[in-house]
Structures are given as C-alpha cells and as structure tokens.
Amino acid sequence: MQIRTGIALVFLVAFAFVAAEDGDSKESIEQLVVETLVNPETCTITSEMGDTLQIHYTGRLMDGKVIDTSLSREPLVVELGKRSVITGLEQALVGLCEGQKIKATIPAHLAYGKRGFPPTIPADSTLEFEVEVISLSQQTPWQKLVNDVLPLLCLALVPTLLGLVGLYLYNKAHAQPQGKKKSKDKKSKKK
C-alpha cells in the first residue's frame, strides 16, 4: 500500500499496525479511517442518522482485490441507522455532503469480523471502500417520529403492560373462586 502524505499519513501512523502472521505481513487497523477524496463546492446539508443516501461504492480487500461494486448497477440506497450496510461503512457515511467522495478503511471488527464472508472476504479482513454520495434526503418529521419517538414509547409501554398482566394474574390468584363460595352457601343452608 502506498502511503500518502499529509493527513492520511497521520491517520495511518496513528491507527495502523503491522502484525507478522506465519511469516507473512498483514496490515490491520484498529479504528475506522475516513479520507475525503472529493469535496463538493457547496455543502449546506450533511448526512445524519435517519437520512437516506444513494451511493456508488467499490469495496476492496487491502491487497486491492475488488469484493463488490455498485458502479455497474443502480446506486445503493442506504437509510442511516437501519444497519443495511456494515457498521464501519454506515459510520463513514455520517457527516457527508451530496457529491462528496470518500475512501473509508474499515477494520475487521466493524466489517465482517472473525467469521468473514466466505468465499469472498476472509476472516479478520480490513476493507477499503471508495464511496460517492449521489443524493442525500433528510428524514421527514414523520420519519423522525417513527425512528426516534416510537421505539421509546414502545419501551415505556412494555413494563406497563407487564405490570398490568401481573396485576391481573395476582388478583385472579387471590380471588375466591365463585364455584367454591356457592357450594359453601349450599352446605350451610342444608344444615
């Protein structure tokens, strides 16, 4: 891998380390590294969780082998926060502008981890994605309500519903059965 000067060098020195494995050198990183390749002239809106992006991407292993690309297809639609892409790529897509192009170097634990994605991606593979943001749509107030407030409301309702079910079962267990009360009344009348 050719080391670039400037900020990229600082990131690589800060986060990369080389580990010897069976006599072979294998480059690995510990944290996500995002490098801007192209910045748009104007950027008024940046992507946030909940926004929808259309992106073109090319994913590679660190040896340069292409594992996937969208360049021959329609752009990939990614709603941030829905985990529709690997964690490292989703994190790299936050804070971008429409028209921006980045290179994200994603450590294995933010990609496919120890299991990999056989046969294409070996275990513990660091991945490199070049991504171009084709379009950016901010989430609507309704989407924000559904994505942010509704889950919290559901979390509040679960203990309430469990409490009500528990109260119902408690009252049912401690209530005197109707059938036994009537039979006791009949026995006392017979005497």
Side-chain angles (χ1 to χ4, degrees):
M1 185 173 123
Q2 182 180 22
I3 299 177
R4 295 191 174 127
T5 60
I7 295 173
L9 180 60
V10 173
F11 279 125
L12 290 173
V13 170
F15 299 123
F17 65 92
V18 177
E21 199 172 273
D22 297 329
D24 296 330
S25 291
K26 180 181 176 184
E27 188 174 312
S28 179
I29 63 168
E30 295 178 28
Q31 294 186 9
L32 175 67
V33 178
V34 180
E35 179 184 344
T36 299
L37 301 175
V38 176
N39 249 337
E41 288 183 23
T42 59
C43 178
T44 55
I45 301 169
T46 59
S47 59
E48 299 174 357
M49 284 297 179
D51 292 348
T52 302
L53 303 173
Q54 286 190 358
I55 62 169
H56 269 304
Y57 67 91
T58 300
R60 293 181 175 88
L61 296 173
M62 293 307 287
D63 64 5
K65 179 182 174 192
V66 175
I67 54 171
D68 192 17
T69 185
S70 68
L71 296 176
S72 60
R73 307 185 298 255
E74 292 290 317
L76 177 67
V77 177
V78 178
E79 187 176 340
L80 297 177
K82 294 290 184 178
R83 298 182 183 183
S84 58
V85 294
I86 58 174
T87 304
L89 184 56
E90 186 173 65
Q91 290 175 6
L93 294 174
V94 174
L96 300 182
C97 300
E98 192 171 297
Q100 188 169 355
K101 190 171 184 179
I102 63 165
K103 180 171 84 172
T105 306
I106 303 169
H109 70 277
L110 294 176
Y112 293 98
K114 294 190 182 304
R115 73 181 188 282
F117 195 78
T120 311
I121 303 169
D124 292 321
S125 291
T126 298
L127 303 178
E128 190 174 85
F129 279 85
E130 284 189 19
V131 178
E132 181 180 4
V133 179
I134 305 300
S135 72
L136 165 64
S137 302
Q138 289 186 303
Q139 67 178 341
T140 64
W142 176 250
Q143 286 172 314
K144 189 167 182 71
L145 178 74
V146 169
N147 291 338
D148 297 343
V149 177
L150 195 59
L152 293 175
L153 184 61
C154 290
L155 280 175
L157 288 176
V158 168
T160 304
L161 290 173
L162 289 174
L164 289 173
V165 168
L167 181 63
Y168 169 78
L169 293 174
Y170 176 81
N171 287 337
K172 188 172 180 178
H174 287 84
Q176 190 173 14
Q178 292 292 337
K180 289 184 179 180
K181 188 176 183 182
K182 288 182 182 178
S183 64
K184 284 183 182 178
D185 289 340
K186 289 181 182 178
K187 286 182 182 177
S188 62
K189 287 183 183 177
K190 288 183 180 178
K191 288 184 182 180

